[in-house]
Amino acid sequence: MVTSRLGGSDLEVSRVGLGCNNFGRRLDAAATRAVVDAALDAGIGFLDTADVYGGGGGSERFLGEALAGRRDRVVLATKFGHAMDGVDGDGPGGSPAYVRRAIASSLERLATDRVDLYYYHRPDGVTPIEETVGAMRELVDEGKVRWLGLSNVDAAQIRRAVEVAEIVAVQNYYSLMRRDDDAEVLPLCRELGIGYVPYFPLESGLLTGKYRRGEAAPEGSRLAGSADRLTDERLGRAEELEALAARHGHTLLELAVGGLASIPGVASVIAGATSPEQARANAAAGGWQLTGAELAELDAL
């Protein structure tokens, strides 16, 4: 697995990261360990979770158990700021007091003494982002967190945050079917030397090739019953991407992951998995490094 330096940090992150949002929700502790085992064996060393994943910290607890004895093999990222149903007290999620309660709880659930990358999950709309990031910077000074990141932010929020502390990663919703951040956020990350980390690269499975026009969604799949996300227009766009991949001898999954990872400024692509097979497939899909001509073809499409 190819690795790269994350922004201005000393963190080396794998080209494909493991999204842990299914742990504690769709996967129990044993299934979580199986996915983590497969990911590590496939070279994925960048694990991304959040306190809210799995309900009340379930993902962090299961991940902490799965990493017992091998914590130092991974770059571990988690997030705070979403409503936790009172687990970490009342919000707002960006207040300095909440930041301190959140990191204490996450460290306990993850069974570790530090988080490698700590994201502000989503601005709360109340607390000035400078105040939140200032509190996060104190956690770095205290050794509880190594580096800081932001998630679900716009360019203006990034500019304000970097005035207060060093930000090494921005994680936003970005895929080959949703490239809104091409306008401002991704160019700004390149300018500031911040690693851009997309989430939802597979569009809940739409960009794996499992959904077809005129066919019912596979039973039990993420988009079964989600007609609004399986429109002819969206399925048609997926078919165009699949055709592009096929012209170059690759699958739609390989384009969705490898193509995204080939876009300048993208440091790692976070892809979730509910089985060891999916973790291995996602890791392998990151092996396609698109040429400049192939990227231009992708951009044109």
Side-chain angles (χ1 to χ4, degrees):
M1 173 72 67
V2 173
T3 63
S4 64
R5 188 66 58 90
L6 183 65
S9 76
D10 60 356
L11 301 175
E12 285 286 333
V13 296
S14 50
R15 194 163 192 251
V16 180
L18 176 63
C20 302
N21 56 309
N22 291 305
F23 301 167
R25 181 171 60 92
R26 302 180 72 192
L27 302 182
D28 62 15
T32 293
R33 178 177 290 276
V35 169
V36 171
D37 288 348
L40 295 182
D41 288 345
I44 294 177
F46 187 23
L47 274 57
D48 181 274
T49 188
D51 56 6
V52 75
Y53 294 166
S59 174
E60 288 182 328
R61 282 194 296 272
F62 287 175
L63 187 55
E65 293 171 6
L67 290 176
R70 50 185 180 177
R71 162 67 179 88
D72 291 337
R73 287 182 56 185
V74 305
V75 172
L76 182 59
T78 194
K79 314 178 194 71
F80 75 94
H82 265 303
M84 285 282 286
D85 297 327
V87 172
D88 288 324
D90 295 330
S95 68
Y98 191 92
V99 172
R100 289 200 163 273
R101 293 196 300 269
I103 188 60
S105 296
S106 287
L107 290 175
E108 181 179 1
R109 287 188 291 261
L110 288 166
T112 186
D113 61 352
R114 87 282 182 198
V115 168
D116 297 312
L117 178 62
Y118 201 39
Y119 285 105
Y120 184 20
H121 205 159
R122 184 183 299 275
D124 63 18
V126 177
T127 311
I129 197 166
E130 297 90 341
E131 189 174 327
T132 305
V133 173
M136 295 169 68
R137 184 186 59 200
E138 293 178 1
L139 302 181
V140 176
D141 296 338
E142 296 166 10
K144 297 175 181 176
V145 170
R146 293 183 62 196
W147 299 96
L148 304 179
L150 302 172
S151 184
N152 299 298
V153 288
D154 59 29
Q157 291 165 329
I158 296 170
R159 290 189 184 279
R160 288 163 54 197
V162 298
E163 293 295 321
V164 179
E166 183 176 9
I167 302 298
V168 302
V170 164
Q171 183 178 143
N172 279 1
Y173 180 6
Y174 184 79
S175 75
L176 296 184
M177 292 181 61
R178 180 183 170 125
R179 295 184 61 173
D180 300 10
D181 278 356
D182 283 345
E184 294 186 66
V185 172
L186 187 48
L188 179 60
C189 286
R190 295 189 193 113
E191 174 191 333
L192 298 177
I194 297 172
Y196 187 83
V197 183
Y199 72 85
F200 280 172
L202 304 181
E203 290 285 340
S204 297
L206 180 60
L207 295 183
T208 63
K210 71 170 66 173
Y211 302 98
R212 300 291 179 182
R213 278 196 284 189
E215 299 179 9
E219 186 175 351
S221 63
R222 290 282 296 275
L223 295 182
S226 301
D228 59 322
R229 300 184 66 186
L230 292 175
T231 62
D232 282 349
E233 188 270 338
R234 283 174 59 79
L235 288 166
R237 290 173 63 195
E239 288 171 1
E240 291 177 342
L241 289 166
E242 187 170 26
L244 186 156
R247 287 196 296 273
H248 296 281
H250 290 276
T251 65
L252 177 58
L253 176 63
E254 289 168 337
L255 180 62
V257 177
L260 209 62
S262 299
I263 294 173
V266 172
S268 180
V269 175
I270 301 299
T274 56
S275 69
E277 293 75 20
Q278 285 184 359
R280 287 189 285 266
N282 292 343
W288 183 14
Q289 176 65 50
L290 274 67
T291 66
E294 289 167 342
L295 278 172
E297 186 179 355
L298 179 61
D299 289 342
L301 180 61

